[in-house]
Amino acid sequence: MGSGQRSSASAIATRQHTYHHHNHCFSREGSLADVPKDLLGEIKKLEQHLSIDTKKLKEITNHFVAELEKGLTVEGGSIPMNPTWVMEYPDGYETGTYLALDMGGTNLRVCEITLTDTKSEFDIIQSKYRMPEELKTGESEELWDYIADCLQQFLDTHHGDLAPGTMIPLGFTFSYPATQNYIDEGTLQRWTKGFDIDGVEGHNIVPMLESALKAKDVPIRVSAVINDTTGTLIASAYTDPTVKIGCIFGTGCNAAYMENCGSIPKLAHLNLPADCPMAINCEWGAFDNEHVILPRTPYDIIIDKDSPRPGQQAFEKMIAGLYLGEIFRLIMVDLHDNKDIHIFEGQDIKKLRKAYTLDASFLSAIEDDPFENLQETADLFSDKLGIATTRPELELIRRAAELIGTRAARLSACGVAAICKKKNFQPCHVGADGSVFNKYPHFKARGAQALREILDWPVKKNAKEEDPVEILAAEDGSGVGAALIAALTLKRVQAGNVAGILHPENFK
Ligand code: BGC
């Protein structure tokens, strides 16, 4: 709902965002003067629950560093720290045409990428397919069948006849935690992002997809299983060699970086050279599953309890796009049900009572409302939820959204800071992708502010000066990144290095 649609609204003052330090980055705190005492008290409580000060951010970051280390040991920890068998950075001169499949949380995308002879350039053709909601909690066969159909459609549209016996290699971006003893296999550790499909956890996904392809005579085989963060790392490093971390802040959240094999005790038995690089898919969504450091609210506890995998992805559930709207919804319902506070009083809130009806874009729209009287927020509540709002209620709504969005950005920064501290990555660039990073208002600025606090950077001399760690919009990791990983793997096989490749013959 753009403000341009409502020309009469232009008479209403818009509000300039003011930049405050610490927790108050981009907020309307100043507009609370006329809010009655009971609501003001609730706003203060929310602030206490959801604000995270510098000291706490630092404590979280230090614990995070220790947990990253622990994940690399033989005993392991909460954070899986999965070796991915991506063992070098691209140099920009990779070439070839590759097929990539991205099974994200929301969409399924098939693309064909041609890495051209010109340094760091590529062409891409792609088709997007919606991931039907019912597939996420359906049967395993239906999932693989649907994916095979999409791939078949793509080949039908974009490929002429193939010579008999030709098998097209596919880079499969499967963005869930997977154990990989080889790059061309992946055993799902557990579903995340609300997926709950029986019979996949604990199994190698490659034969499942390949048998669905075979049943339809689709001439494709899987040559690499890739996490979206690893794809993002490699795709971003392709165009910007100072990129050292790839992050996703979307439906889920996670990061990947390059480790040295010598610092990965759980791979010691393979006797890989100590200085040999190995991309690690951290799976940091699992940080603090044992609940020792993150300041969880009662709402976070409900989200976890009612999710398909309670006890898993503690960090992700406070940050990722899938959960932001739900945290907000739980707060609103709780306030309405508390009879001492008069919010949405006497109204039927049945639409608001439905779990997961509000997604992160709802919260984005609230934070983006440019009007002093929060008219767009009022319209959202009435159109989407059938709830009429008073001005003080709107102020509370806006403040709640700001607090949830700010907490997500500040906690995200702890993960980035932890990898930078562990690896001494200052200065560096971080390539980031995902709907929250790209679309959620102020996420980037709030994250940057938190990094500054955690890593004790001095105040900038001028606005143009780069921060020692800059989180920037990434190249398309699941497409270009997957193609590059396929190209790098092929190059490695041709050079005789077949470490971590189950079927090197497929790369000939
Ligand atoms: C998954 C990761 C993924 C992240 C972002 C998480 O839920 O476990 O594998 O990288 O979401 O898509």
Side-chain angles (χ1 to χ4, degrees), residues 24-36:
H24 314 309
C25 215
F26 300 105
S27 92
R28 284 176 50 108
E29 268 196 306
S31 324
L32 301 176
D34 299 327
V35 174

Side-chain angles (χ1 to χ4, degrees), residues 104-105 174-178 190-193 227-230 247-255 281 283-285 313 316 320 323:
F174 180 74
S175 303
Y176 306 87
R190 74 199 65 80
W191 286 118
T192 58
K193 298 183 274 208
N227 188 263
D228 51 0
T229 55
T230 317
C247 286
I248 301 287
F249 303 109
T251 309
C253 75
N254 187 17
N281 162 21
E283 288 298 336
W284 77 19
Q313 303 296 94
E316 177 161 272
Y323 306 102

Side-chain angles (χ1 to χ4, degrees), residues 169-234:
L170 174 76
F172 181 12
T173 305
F174 180 74
S175 303
Y176 306 87
T179 309
Q180 293 187 274
N181 294 314
Y182 304 95
I183 195 165
D184 41 352
E185 61 143 46
T187 298
L188 177 62
Q189 291 164 341
R190 74 199 65 80
W191 286 118
T192 58
K193 298 183 274 208
F195 275 66
D196 189 10
I197 304 171
D198 273 351
V200 188
E201 285 169 318
H203 298 278
N204 179 5
I205 54 162
V206 172
M208 297 193 209
L209 175 56
E210 286 187 339
S211 75
L213 290 165
K214 198 162 174 215
K216 293 179 194 294
D217 278 328
V218 186
I220 289 176
R221 62 176 157 65
V222 177
S223 60
V225 174
I226 298 156
N227 188 263
D228 51 0
T229 55
T230 317
T232 299
L233 170 68
I234 297 301

Side-chain angles (χ1 to χ4, degrees), residues 484-502:
L484 285 164
I485 289 170
L488 291 171
T489 310
L490 183 68
K491 202 159 85 183
R492 201 146 68 73
V493 176
Q494 284 164 352
N497 176 5
V498 295
I501 300 169
L502 183 59

Side-chain angles (χ1 to χ4, degrees), residues 87-106:
M87 300 173 75
E88 66 204 302
Y89 279 116
D91 59 15
Y93 294 104
E94 290 70 19
T95 54
T97 297
Y98 304 89
L99 195 63
L101 164 71
D102 177 16
M103 181 188 152
T106 326

Side-chain angles (χ1 to χ4, degrees), residues 379-405:
D379 291 350
L380 262 177
F381 265 72
S382 82
D383 297 348
K384 175 122 196 183
L385 299 169
I387 294 176
T389 44
T390 64
R391 178 66 189 270
E393 285 168 357
L394 289 169
E395 291 295 348
L396 177 138
I397 287 166
R398 170 69 162 246
R399 189 75 189 115
E402 283 169 6
L403 288 165
I404 295 166

